[in-house]
Amino acid sequence: MTVTISRPTTSEGRPASSPPRLALAPVGSAPALLDGAWWPRSRDLFAELPALAAVLDPLWGRITRITVNPAQWPAVPRKVPVAGHVVKAGCFRDEQDPHELLLLSYHVGRWNLLVVPPGTDPVRAAWLMAAASDPRRGDSASRLMADAPQPVTEADRIVEAAWESEGGRVTPAPAARAPGRTVAAAPADRSKPGQDRGRSSCR
């Protein structure tokens, strides 16, 4: 069974209560490097993780700890309160794939999700989510990011139009493609008094 929960792409300021955009590998499929993909709306773990845990807790057992690579997250809180409990967070610079989220469920297991960067072109994001939740693939998160189709740029459209209008005789100079990934600015601190948004020490 594949679980996919999605909503239209929104700005970084979308409320954290929005259901997560998530695709999971079928239940009972052979173990692979990835168990699915998550497309958060921002790079604020404190805001994004509660909605993800709310969906995964009933499926995988209570998520008690997550780790990320700090290359993709401007701040990694030590603890994140979710429905009814707290998830501890950690980060690893060298040991963990920069595009991967590792989740641990107490006494149940470990799961790895590809993190589709916020702001990713929807076509590219759909490809990444389908590939990461396909149990027949054995690719790492970074390998999928490298293989994902690049978004078509305006320069690409101009070159294609020129080629067709000239009967295929135009030999344009190579057009630089826009990066397939949008690096979002660090979100504003929206913490409330009493919330623990201290940064986790990364190794």
Side-chain angles (χ1 to χ4, degrees):
M1 177 184 75
T2 299
V3 177
T4 304
I5 301 174
S6 61
R7 289 289 187 277
T9 303
T10 61
S11 67
E12 293 283 308
R14 178 132 185 167
S17 60
S18 300
R21 298 176 292 193
L22 182 67
L24 303 179
V27 173
S29 57
L33 291 178
L34 296 171
D35 299 290
W38 174 43
W39 188 13
R41 293 176 170 83
S42 75
R43 294 187 183 279
D44 185 347
L45 274 175
F46 202 87
E48 298 288 343
L49 193 60
L52 179 65
V55 172
L56 295 182
D57 280 359
L59 298 174
W60 291 349
R62 177 173 289 189
I63 303 300
T64 56
R65 182 174 178 82
I66 63 105
T67 65
V68 297
N69 187 309
Q72 301 298 321
W73 302 94
V76 181
R78 288 188 295 269
K79 297 179 181 180
V80 179
V82 300
H85 66 289
V86 172
V87 174
K88 295 181 179 179
C91 50
F92 296 91
R93 295 183 186 279
D94 301 321
E95 298 88 346
Q96 187 163 339
D97 188 308
H99 300 289
E100 186 177 275
L101 171 71
L102 184 151
L103 306 101
L104 297 172
S105 180
Y106 187 63
H107 288 326
V108 178
R110 160 185 167 166
W111 293 270
N112 300 76
L113 295 178
L114 163 70
V115 178
V116 179
T120 297
D121 175 80
V123 173
R124 180 177 167 88
W127 187 95
L128 285 165
M129 296 182 79
S133 59
D134 185 347
R136 296 168 297 181
R137 301 186 70 110
D139 299 312
S140 68
S142 285
R143 179 73 262 174
L144 289 180
M145 290 296 297
D147 289 347
Q150 297 292 333
V152 177
T153 67
E154 186 60 30
D156 293 329
R157 295 188 183 95
I158 292 172
V159 168
E160 182 179 359
W163 180 268
E164 292 178 354
S165 67
E166 296 295 328
R169 292 190 296 273
V170 177
T171 306
R177 284 183 175 271
R181 179 163 49 84
T182 300
V183 178
D189 186 351
R190 292 177 286 175
S191 60
K192 298 178 182 178
Q195 289 182 335
D196 180 4
R197 292 187 66 115
R199 295 192 180 190
S200 174
S201 57
C202 300
R203 291 178 279 178

